[in-house]
Amino acid sequence: MTALFEGLLRLGDTTLILSHRVSEWCGHAPALEEDIALANTALDLIGQAQMWLGLAAEVEGAGRSADDLAYLRDVWEFRNFLLVERPNVDFGHTIMRQCLFDQWNGLMLNHLSGSTDDRIAAIAQKAAKEAAYHTERSADLVIALGDGTKESHARMQSALDAFWPYVGEMFTADPVDTELARDGVFPDLASLRAPWDARINEIFASATLHKPDSAFAHQGGKSGKHTEHLGHLLTTMQWLQRAYPGATW
Amino acid sequence: MTETRSEWPLWEVFIRGQHGLSHRHVGSLHAADAKMAMHHARDVYTRRNEGVSLWVVPAAAITASAPGDKGPMFEPSNDKVYRHPDFFDIPDDVGPM
């Protein structure tokens, strides 16, 4: 596997798996308006996943399509961040996870818009607009719920505590990231951390939330070592192609 | 910490379909504040490229005419044909007005 293929899988799988998680809210959100907003977010993310995985398949050159990559790979072949496969738990967890990811994705897409690979730059430029909206929406909700009632504050703090150990993976470069950064295809992941921290600190200050002191970071998603949650998610997401191979609309 | 309420307030949503047209009322939604109402309006009412501008207005800020006053409010204008510009010949060259 080339570094470029690996790097594209990470972007594609992360947006795909988060999209599926968010889509689990469809018909269950606490208000009609939030239900539609979450569905819109899930659809935007699956659009991004389609573009990243489509390019990954093209780069791989093995005759696979974006759909093949999404529906016919097993757990250990997925390269998403562990953060996005975590269960929804409640609305607070869902929005906290979204905020942590959106802030990263917004920065990442801004950098990728200037990638030395024109195909990556084109996808990033297209995705950056909707990502800017996601970024604003999830930050506003974290602030509203964090600085809301006693119960909403407690739920947001417990969500932040639960997800914090999964933040570091987004900024930890491995040899794949280093190779891509050297060629100017991807940014240096560590360089995203300072602007991410600055914005997240502002959000948490307004939200009256306390950022955990621990710097411990789970690793593994980017190299295919996943938590037990991803297998269950794939069982739901892939069952149709598994049960009826080749089925189309 | 603010007081708790069981429902978000109601907002009315207006969309300008394209430049040059006026905003039209398209529906309503619930939201905690103006910014959230704007986000919800975008998500609920502009999913299919419906407009170029959005207004959200607290429903409580709208004063409406009472349905029972329909007679005195609107019917007197029915029989005053001279108020309508229906008696002018418009040259064909003018096109639709």
Side-chain angles (χ1 to χ4, degrees):
Chain A
M1 262 196 262
T2 65
L4 182 56
F5 180 61
E6 277 280 315
L8 289 167
L9 282 185
R10 290 171 183 183
L11 294 171
D13 289 346
T14 294
T15 42
L16 175 67
I17 299 303
L18 182 57
S19 166
H20 187 84
R21 275 290 181 232
V22 176
S23 80
E24 291 172 5
W25 275 102
C26 197
H28 301 276
L32 176 144
E33 292 84 352
E34 288 300 332
D35 203 283
I36 295 177
L38 285 168
N40 284 349
T41 304
L43 286 169
D44 287 349
L45 287 169
I46 208 165
Q48 294 176 25
Q50 215 163 9
M51 293 190 286
W52 293 130
L53 292 180
L55 182 55
E58 188 187 319
V59 164
E60 187 193 31
R64 291 202 278 185
S65 67
D67 281 348
D68 293 337
L69 291 175
Y71 293 116
L72 301 177
R73 282 179 302 150
D74 215 330
V75 176
W76 56 88
E77 295 167 283
F78 273 77
R79 295 293 182 263
N80 56 279
F81 296 144
L82 296 176
L83 172 72
V84 299
E85 70 197 48
R86 306 297 303 167
N88 289 338
V89 186
D90 59 16
F91 187 73
H93 276 71
T94 302
I95 293 302
M96 179 58 73
R97 182 186 59 203
Q98 191 70 37
C99 178
L100 298 172
F101 170 75
D102 284 344
Q103 294 298 329
W104 179 87
N105 200 34
L107 289 168
M108 186 69 175
L109 290 172
N110 283 343
H111 279 275
L112 290 177
S113 297
S115 170
T116 52
D117 187 318
D118 292 342
R119 299 165 300 181
I120 289 178
I123 293 173
Q125 283 159 21
K126 188 164 186 291
K129 275 186 199 155
E130 58 200 30
Y133 177 71
H134 297 169
T135 304
E136 188 182 323
R137 188 184 117 76
S138 55
D140 282 356
L141 282 172
V142 165
I143 293 168
L145 293 169
D147 186 25
T149 65
K150 206 178 260 184
E151 177 172 3
S152 72
H153 176 84
R155 283 180 185 247
M156 294 315 279
Q157 186 63 54
S158 96
L160 174 54
D161 295 344
F163 286 129
W164 193 250
Y166 296 94
V167 162
E169 190 183 17
M170 299 192 287
F171 303 98
T172 310
D174 65 4
V176 169
D177 298 309
T178 311
E179 184 180 335
L180 292 171
R182 192 193 58 216
D183 299 337
V185 178
F186 276 20
D188 169 15
L189 290 186
S191 74
L192 303 180
R193 186 69 199 236
W196 186 90
D197 269 330
R199 180 65 188 127
I200 280 288
N201 287 343
E202 282 172 13
I203 295 168
F204 290 164
S206 307
T208 70
L209 294 172
H210 172 69
K211 198 166 89 174
D213 295 325
S214 167
F216 173 74
H218 290 288
Q219 305 287 337
K222 295 202 300 190
S223 52
K225 295 180 204 69
H226 292 279
T227 64
E228 69 274 26
H229 303 292
L230 184 61
H232 293 278
L233 183 153
L234 293 185
T235 307
T236 308
M237 193 181 85
Q238 297 180 332
W239 81 268
L240 195 136
Q241 279 303 319
R242 300 294 192 185
Y244 305 98
T248 56
W249 283 103
Chain B
M1 302 285 170
T2 46
E3 62 162 320
T4 52
R5 278 201 271 189
S6 60
E7 283 278 355
W8 292 327
L10 189 66
W11 300 73
E12 300 299 331
V13 182
F14 300 80
I15 297 181
R16 185 206 292 275
Q18 47 180 283
H19 290 294
L21 296 182
S22 37
H23 285 72
R24 286 187 57 179
H25 183 240
V26 292
S28 52
L29 50 75
H30 290 91
D33 58 29
K35 194 173 179 202
M36 187 183 195
M38 191 56 90
H39 282 176
H40 283 164
R42 173 205 185 263
D43 279 322
V44 177
Y45 291 107
T46 68
R47 302 182 74 230
R48 297 177 186 85
N49 202 23
E50 283 90 342
V52 295
S53 168
L54 271 173
W55 286 350
V56 288
V57 180
I62 291 177
T63 308
S65 61
D69 291 342
K70 216 162 65 177
M73 283 285 263
F74 306 116
E75 275 169 29
S77 68
N78 274 348
D79 56 2
K80 297 182 176 61
V81 290
Y82 50 84
R83 289 185 180 174
H84 298 275
D86 289 348
F87 306 101
F88 298 96
D89 288 325
I90 298 174
D92 291 342
D93 295 346
V94 172
M97 282 188 75

